Amino acid sequence: MPLLLLLAGPAASAEPIQHSYTVTVDYLMSRLWVEARFSRPVESVIAGSRDAGKFLLDVRGCSEEQQIRMRNQRMMLPELGIACMNYTVDLARAAMAHRFSKTLAPENIVVSPAYWMWRPELRNGNSIRIRFRLPETMQVAVPWKKLSDDGPVFVLEQSPESAYAPVVFGQFDYREIQVPGAVLRVSLLRGIDEMDNAAMARWVRATATDVSLAYGRFPNPSPQVVVIPVGGSRSNDWSAVPFGRVIRDGGETIELQVDQSQPLEVLLADWTATHEFSHLLLPYVERKHRWISEGFAQYYQNVLLSRSGAYDQLYAWQKIYDGYERGRQSRPELSPNEASSGSVRAGLMKVYWSGAAIALMADVQLRERSGGTESLDDILDRFQACCLPSNRVWSGPELFAQFDELASAPVFMPLYKRFADTAGFPDMSGIFERLGLAVSDGKVHIRRGAELHAIRDAILETDHAAAEWREQLAAN
Ligand SMILES: [Zn+2]
């Protein structure tokens, strides 16, 4: 009996295990073969996308008697589980699922593991060691932890899944770029038109460095950055950086789509990259509280661009003020939690700016209470030290409770309780008044001698060394 109990015991009590995958790609990037060896027999494997079955060409267990069948695009494993399997994926077809497949040069493809990686769920510290066997001229870029410097070997661990992570195969410009506290793993993809990769690398470095002006280092020591040249393909909504996003899936990826025809100075004046990098100051927050992640990124994007000298202070306050006004006008009958819940499509500006209002309130409260010795930067600094990068999804209240633990007295949960489920938008006129930010006809003016003028100036204070460095970078 004791033996039986032991066998049936919950997996949670077991030591973490590491499975081992070998991934082979042919030089035409038409096929991908996986050999998966499991440290303990697994009863089910699953792919991130429901469409993965469409790209699967064949699958078998490593021994004769272990048959694997497909049903409804799902792999059906033998009841006793399997210790090993081999499968083949139609890589060329899977690559077409990526929405920029047509704007990329044929030398490189982007294929999310959601379409080609079949694996057990990774709970309780379990992981997969993935080794790539690639033709000599082929590179691969992934968001997973890098295991060694002498070959493409990585470790995939449990993580949130906010979207499908990009994995890049082929010939492209891969660089490891140092910024304070981190080495960015940057892939500059090849588009159909030429791109000035040296300028792109400088832009990524400068905007990621902006984020280190929050507390001295970049929040994730080794994120993946993927730069996709899209030309002027979105002519109706022109911008040097038409789109950016953070993808949390097997690690953190910042994806930036750029109009590669734009010069470096235009890219450096665009806020998108700073906004996306700022998202990494927080972990992945569940969708119904995403006004917190968006709001903190909006707040910090303006704060950091001012500290780095890209914005002057008055311009940054104007941007913050304008944002709050857009937030106020956006679906006033909804609370931030309702606007974020996903069932309501409008209210985007409420989602983007409610959290930015709360970030400013928290920052001012922290600074005022401590006589300037504690700020929102300090709380985020301590939060990074305890909790980032995080392998899971956080709820808004859980995050704010953690912030309060890290602060000398609670600030965040009281603000959450007051505003998260309250319709309308926080009234910021009192705080603007005390900071010495007067508004007439929608224009912000800085008033001398205001009660909290020192706090106002400290929040956006330009870091002159950083500003000078950024200017030199743009000039070279
Ligand atoms: Zn955002």
Side-chain angles (χ1 to χ4, degrees):
M1 250 348 241
L3 183 66
L4 254 180
L5 274 174
L6 197 66
L7 283 173
S13 63
E15 284 282 298
I17 53 173
Q18 188 167 68
H19 307 300
S20 189
Y21 279 45
T22 303
V23 179
T24 308
V25 175
D26 69 320
Y27 80 102
L28 290 173
M29 298 189 288
S30 63
R31 295 279 184 276
L32 176 146
W33 295 270
V34 176
E35 183 191 80
R37 296 192 169 273
F38 304 111
S39 293
R40 193 186 300 142
V42 299
E43 285 121 50
S44 74
V45 291
I46 191 163
S49 165
R50 282 165 182 273
D51 289 334
K54 286 190 207 164
F55 309 122
L56 194 66
L57 296 173
D58 66 66
V59 56
R60 61 200 176 280
C62 294
S63 67
E64 290 286 317
E65 58 271 25
Q66 289 187 317
Q67 286 215 346
I68 302 172
R69 291 186 318 277
M70 294 298 291
R71 191 193 298 156
N72 297 329
Q73 298 198 17
R74 289 290 194 101
M75 277 190 195
M76 310 303 291
L77 304 187
E79 238 170 66
L80 290 171
I82 54 161
C84 173
M85 67 177 192
N86 288 288
Y87 62 87
T88 310
V89 174
D90 187 336
L91 190 64
R93 264 192 70 212
M96 308 230 278
H98 192 265
R99 60 192 165 135
F100 287 105
S101 59
K102 289 195 178 69
T103 65
L104 289 179
E107 290 90 342
N108 50 193
I109 58 172
V110 182
V111 196
S112 174
Y115 296 118
W116 58 261
M117 176 166 278
W118 294 79
R119 60 172 177 82
E121 277 197 74
L122 298 175
R123 290 202 214 95
N124 312 314
N126 290 355
S127 61
I128 302 176
R129 180 182 187 276
I130 299 152
R131 187 167 73 91
F132 286 95
R133 289 177 49 204
L134 304 172
E136 213 171 310
T137 54
M138 190 184 294
Q139 292 169 290
V140 62
V142 302
W144 311 324
K145 261 187 200 159
K146 200 168 134 187
L147 204 60
S148 82
D149 270 325
D150 45 50
V153 186
F154 304 92
V155 174
L156 171 60
E157 293 169 338
Q158 183 187 340
S159 81
E161 291 171 17
S162 71
Y164 298 160
V167 164
V168 191
F169 293 104
Q171 289 163 14
F172 52 92
D173 187 336
Y174 174 82
R175 302 177 184 217
E176 299 194 341
I177 296 178
Q178 284 213 349
V179 296
V183 176
L184 312 175
R185 296 181 284 157
V186 183
S187 298
L188 306 168
L189 303 198
R190 276 197 205 185
I192 291 158
D193 299 323
E194 283 290 298
M195 178 159 86
D196 180 350
N197 287 351
M200 286 297 160
R202 284 208 287 275
W203 166 63
V204 169
R205 184 163 165 225
T207 50
T209 301
D210 287 347
V211 179
S212 71
L213 298 176
Y215 48 76
R217 63 190 184 282
F218 194 79
N220 178 330
S222 180
Q224 168 170 244
V225 180
V226 178
V227 177
I228 304 176
V230 296
S233 64
R234 297 182 172 196
S235 51
N236 54 345
D237 181 22
W238 184 84
S239 152
V241 191
F243 187 73
R245 61 177 176 157
V246 173
I247 301 166
R248 323 236 191 185
D249 177 23
E252 293 179 324
T253 300
I254 301 89
E255 185 186 287
L256 298 165
Q257 297 167 18
V258 295
D259 177 354
Q260 72 273 32
S261 66
Q262 295 307 310
L264 180 58
E265 72 221 57
V266 177
L267 289 168
L268 284 171
D270 188 285
W271 52 263
T272 311
T274 308
H275 173 94
E276 298 310 328
F277 286 127
S278 296
H279 270 300
L280 302 190
L281 295 165
L282 301 191
Y284 183 50
V285 178
E286 67 181 310
R287 206 180 152 75
K288 68 178 173 190
H289 302 130
R290 77 187 182 102
W291 56 273
I292 295 172
S293 11
E294 288 309 339
F296 274 58
Q298 289 293 89
Y299 180 65
Y300 267 98
Q301 130 201 350
N302 289 294
V303 166
L304 296 170
L305 284 168
S306 175
R307 289 182 189 167
S308 75
Y311 289 176
D312 72 42
Q313 295 201 10
L314 182 60
Y315 182 72
W317 285 122
Q318 183 71 52
K319 298 267 281 186
I320 291 170
Y321 172 80
D322 292 344
Y324 292 162
E325 282 308 297
R326 287 201 295 277
R328 183 183 323 287
Q329 286 156 20
S330 164
R331 300 298 293 264
E333 76 284 11
L334 298 180
S335 72
N337 278 348
E338 283 168 336
S340 303
S341 68
S343 54
V344 189
R345 284 194 57 83
L348 202 60
M349 286 301 121
K350 176 179 292 275
V351 172
Y352 271 75
W353 286 98
S354 304
I358 283 170
L360 176 62
M361 285 190 272
D363 204 359
V364 170
Q365 263 188 52
L366 286 161
R367 289 170 189 265
E368 192 180 0
R369 199 179 55 194
S370 66
T373 62
E374 190 177 53
S375 68
L376 185 54
D377 302 326
D378 297 313
I379 305 306
L380 294 180
D381 181 356
R382 292 168 204 160
F383 181 73
Q384 195 280 339
C386 76
C387 307
L388 291 181
S390 174
N391 66 359
R392 62 186 182 84
V393 181
W394 290 61
S395 79
E398 187 185 9
L399 181 69
F400 275 11
Q402 180 68 51
F403 284 176
D404 279 337
E405 290 257 313
L406 298 169
S408 47
V411 163
F412 295 91
M413 273 316 280
L415 288 169
Y416 184 89
K417 285 181 184 144
R418 204 164 132 209
F419 294 111
D421 292 306
T422 306
F425 195 86
D427 180 2
M428 302 303 284
S429 57
I431 204 169
F432 266 62
E433 171 73 34
R434 296 181 69 219
L435 288 169
L437 298 164
V439 184
S440 60
D441 292 331
K443 287 275 163 284
V444 176
H445 305 273
I446 290 183
R447 220 164 26 78
R448 286 171 189 277
E451 184 192 356
L452 301 181
H453 70 95
I455 288 179
R456 174 196 69 208
D457 293 342
I459 291 173
L460 298 190
E461 192 179 3
T462 308
D463 181 318
H464 292 288
E468 206 171 293
W469 177 80
R470 209 182 201 266
E471 243 168 57
Q472 279 174 4
L473 201 74
N476 286 327

